[in-house]
Amino acid sequence: EWLRTLEESARWLFENTEYSIVCDEMINGLQVAPGGAEVWWMRMITEPQGVHAFLAKACEAGLSQLKLLDQAVGKYADMLMIAHDFGDLRGVQIGPERWREIYKPHYKRLFTEWHKITKMKVSLHSCGSIRDILPDLIECGVDVINPVQVSARGMNPEELKREFGGKIIFYGGSFDAVGMPVTTPAEVVYEQVRRNIEILSRGGGYIFSGVHNIQWNVPESHLKAVMEAFRDARSVTV
């Protein structure tokens, strides 16, 4: 019944609008951390075989779900989102080497099979500094990366575009409230947002969005500056 509801909504949007249709985060088993994050991280050291067994089952479940989602909305949707927050402001939380050891094999399997099952692009939401594993994510088959947290280490828009432009689509990265607190003048917000958009959209491969959800204390002046910067940048970039 739920899949039929999704199919009806996607079909209506496909037939009656010009919007690109995106399926939300519906495959999430691999981001589950049994026992909580700290316990799960310790198990990566003490019980790696058990962790791999769990992630393999999560991958199988995800592929099973993907087949059903493709039957329901695959002919209408351009992209399916998946989320797993690997980074904080400093870097990959468990370290890039541990990430490659634990998660990379399972995500490579998931995204490789994903591209065989459906035409929907892989959009991965992963917060923080993930620069160290971005080449790995691209190798695994990620098409779109979100939210592009430009305030985190190594997430400079110019460097990201130079190194990975043409290999992945950047989704976000325009307004990062962590790097631009509420005391920042609106003029500074405008200039920074416009610069980020122009850099990330250079030559294509960019979807406009802020970094994370807009928080309650973001001033109206900031929101106006973001939209003005978007309109002005869009008028000069292709």
Side-chain angles (χ1 to χ4, degrees):
E1 182 179 352
W2 175 66
L3 288 168
R4 288 195 187 97
T5 300
L6 284 178
E7 182 178 20
E8 291 170 3
S9 299
R11 183 192 300 118
W12 188 92
L13 290 167
F14 184 82
E15 294 175 349
N16 294 280
T17 77
E18 296 182 355
Y19 297 135
S20 175
I21 301 170
V22 177
C23 198
D24 205 355
E25 299 165 6
M26 296 183 182
I27 297 175
N28 54 22
L30 277 83
Q31 66 173 308
V32 174
E38 292 181 358
V39 171
W40 184 240
W41 291 342
M42 286 189 284
R43 281 181 175 157
M44 291 180 190
I45 306 298
T46 60
E47 305 173 54
Q49 291 182 333
V51 169
H52 280 294
F54 177 87
L55 292 174
K57 288 291 186 182
C59 184
E60 290 174 14
L63 290 170
S64 178
Q65 292 172 316
L66 179 61
K67 291 173 183 176
L68 295 174
L69 284 168
D70 181 66
Q71 292 173 22
V73 302
K75 53 185 168 294
Y76 306 121
D78 296 307
M79 187 166 73
L80 172 62
M81 301 182 73
I82 186 169
H84 199 158
D85 289 336
F86 293 123
D88 55 27
L89 289 175
R90 302 163 298 174
V92 178
Q93 290 174 328
I94 61 173
E97 292 303 322
R98 185 73 59 189
W99 182 90
R100 294 183 187 109
E101 175 192 343
I102 297 294
Y103 282 108
K104 185 174 181 178
H106 304 285
Y107 273 108
K108 189 163 188 177
R109 178 190 171 199
L110 176 65
F111 296 146
T112 298
E113 294 300 314
W114 181 311
H115 286 298
K116 295 177 182 178
I117 292 169
T118 181
K119 70 176 182 62
M120 291 186 288
K121 301 294 186 183
V122 178
S123 176
L124 173 66
H125 170 93
S126 194
C127 296
S129 171
I130 57 168
R131 164 66 185 80
D132 293 335
I133 60 170
L134 199 50
D136 300 281
L137 293 171
I138 293 170
E139 180 189 336
C140 289
V142 174
D143 300 300
V144 181
I145 193 71
N146 169 271
V148 195
Q149 190 169 347
V150 295
S151 63
R153 182 190 67 81
M155 298 295 286
N156 177 275
E158 189 79 57
E159 295 175 4
L160 291 176
K161 189 68 175 182
R162 182 173 60 251
E163 292 190 48
F164 304 109
K167 299 177 183 178
I168 198 166
I169 294 170
F170 296 105
Y171 175 14
S174 66
F175 172 70
D176 191 339
V178 175
M180 288 184 280
V182 295
T183 54
T184 306
E187 296 80 6
V188 175
V189 173
Y190 171 89
E191 293 298 334
Q192 186 64 60
V193 171
R194 178 166 177 171
R195 178 177 179 273
N196 289 347
I197 295 171
E198 290 178 349
I199 291 171
L200 293 171
S201 63
R202 192 181 299 148
Y206 179 66
I207 301 172
F208 168 71
S209 176
V211 177
H212 304 121
N213 298 333
I214 301 296
Q215 299 300 304
W216 64 272
N217 61 339
V218 173
E220 182 181 354
S221 60
H222 283 197
L223 301 181
K224 289 180 177 179
V226 170
M227 296 313 300
E228 287 173 5
F230 168 62
R231 285 191 291 268
D232 292 346
R234 188 172 56 171
S235 68
V236 298
T237 57
V238 177

